[in-house]
Amino acid sequence: MTPEQAAANAMKGLATIVGAFAESPQTLRRARLLGLSGWAYHVSARAGALGEVRPETVAAAIGFIAPEAVIDGWESTAKSSAPMEVASWHLHELCKWGIGQIGGFPRLVRLLELAGQVVDAVDLAALPLFAAWRAMPVPDQAPGARAAVILHLLHEHRLGVHLVAVRASGLTPLEAIIAGPEGETGAVAFGWQPPYPSAGPIVRRLMWADSVADALAGQAYAALDLAERIELVGLLESLSQRLAR
């Protein structure tokens, strides 16, 4: 398993793990306690780590959400909460969720060790959201909390390199969504308004972008040797299956 293959194989498990946290009742409850809509919470919880920046900067960093939708969510949050405060609460909830849902994972210490090496090896250039989140102090040092944060960082890393690869391919974020498996349904979910481009001519470019994203993400996975990469991918798959039950 090459570093690029490890990055590609880790992607699905990371998405499942992070998705389980995003959809958990306590995460949705935090949005309500802060008086935010689900959309405003999603935008500010993810990008609030950037601090007090302009909404256009947030839209550029996230990339795949329509700029108008990002601006609406960011400005809605700013009426009642500082975005950094929302991100801090989100991190706090992530730690609590990690303790409850990941803390009992049988090989948690090894997962922490291997995933932590990958996170530490990431080059921050062109990855503002990953850099901002990696700089956030972790409020709870329990193993489950630390694991949840590290896996969140690995997922944020993948999202960041995917955006870089899509732009390098000549695609816009909207074109990449349309050419992907969710197509127009995904475009609507991310706030983009029609008319939409045709997927046919751009699918090959997205395939190229995916391979570039694997290569970019794989640079960090090269911090592990072959056996460690295989082991990490297996641990991520095992944990994702455990959470999906």
Side-chain angles (χ1 to χ4, degrees), residues 91 95 122 236:
L91 183 58
C95 288
V122 172
L236 291 173

Side-chain angles (χ1 to χ4, degrees), residues 196-215:
Y196 301 123
S198 173
I202 55 180
V203 170
R204 283 185 177 275
R205 284 194 183 184
L206 182 61
M207 293 172 63
W208 182 86
D210 288 341
S211 67
V212 171
D214 290 341

Side-chain angles (χ1 to χ4, degrees), residues 134-154:
R134 197 171 74 174
M136 292 271 285
V138 179
D140 194 317
Q141 293 300 309
R146 289 168 49 219
V149 173
I150 286 174
L151 297 178
H152 165 77
L153 284 169
L154 281 182

Side-chain angles (χ1 to χ4, degrees), residues 2-237:
T2 66
E4 292 83 359
Q5 290 170 332
N9 290 329
M11 181 172 55
K12 183 178 179 181
L14 288 170
T16 299
I17 294 164
V18 172
F21 165 65
E23 296 168 7
S24 69
Q26 70 187 60
T27 305
L28 302 176
R29 178 175 175 269
R30 175 54 57 187
R32 292 194 299 270
L33 290 174
L34 291 171
L36 300 176
S37 69
W39 186 255
Y41 183 81
H42 173 76
V43 170
S44 55
R46 183 178 173 204
L50 295 171
E52 300 298 325
V53 298
R54 295 182 182 277
E56 292 81 4
T57 303
V58 177
I62 292 178
F64 289 105
I65 300 178
E68 296 80 6
V70 173
I71 291 169
D72 180 65
W74 191 257
E75 291 182 342
S76 295
T77 297
K79 293 176 183 178
S80 59
S81 304
M84 177 62 83
E85 178 186 358
V86 177
S88 296
W89 274 114
H90 191 65
L91 183 58
H92 178 76
E93 294 295 346
L94 177 61
C95 288
K96 285 175 56 181
W97 177 86
I99 292 170
Q101 300 298 318
I102 303 179
F105 184 60
R107 301 196 62 206
L108 181 59
V109 173
R110 184 60 172 162
L111 176 62
L112 266 171
E113 179 184 353
L114 296 175
Q117 288 183 55
V118 178
V119 166
D120 290 343
V122 172
D123 184 334
L124 300 179
L127 300 175
L129 283 171
F130 174 86
W133 274 105
R134 197 171 74 174
M136 292 271 285
V138 179
D140 194 317
Q141 293 300 309
R146 289 168 49 219
V149 173
I150 286 174
L151 297 178
H152 165 77
L153 284 169
L154 281 182
H155 184 250
E156 190 63 65
H157 172 234
R158 179 68 198 202
L159 294 176
V161 298
H162 182 55
L163 178 59
V164 171
V166 162
R167 299 302 292 125
S169 75
L171 294 175
T172 66
L174 173 58
E175 287 173 333
I177 295 170
I178 292 296
E182 296 184 357
E184 292 188 3
T185 300
V188 172
F190 283 105
W192 298 94
Q193 300 298 315
Y196 301 123
S198 173
I202 55 180
V203 170
R204 283 185 177 275
R205 284 194 183 184
L206 182 61
M207 293 172 63
W208 182 86
D210 288 341
S211 67
V212 171
D214 290 341
L216 291 173
Q219 292 173 357
Y221 286 81
L224 305 179
D225 63 28
L226 172 61
E228 290 171 333
R229 293 193 293 269
I230 294 172
E231 185 179 6
L232 175 58
V233 169
L235 289 171
L236 291 173
E237 182 177 352

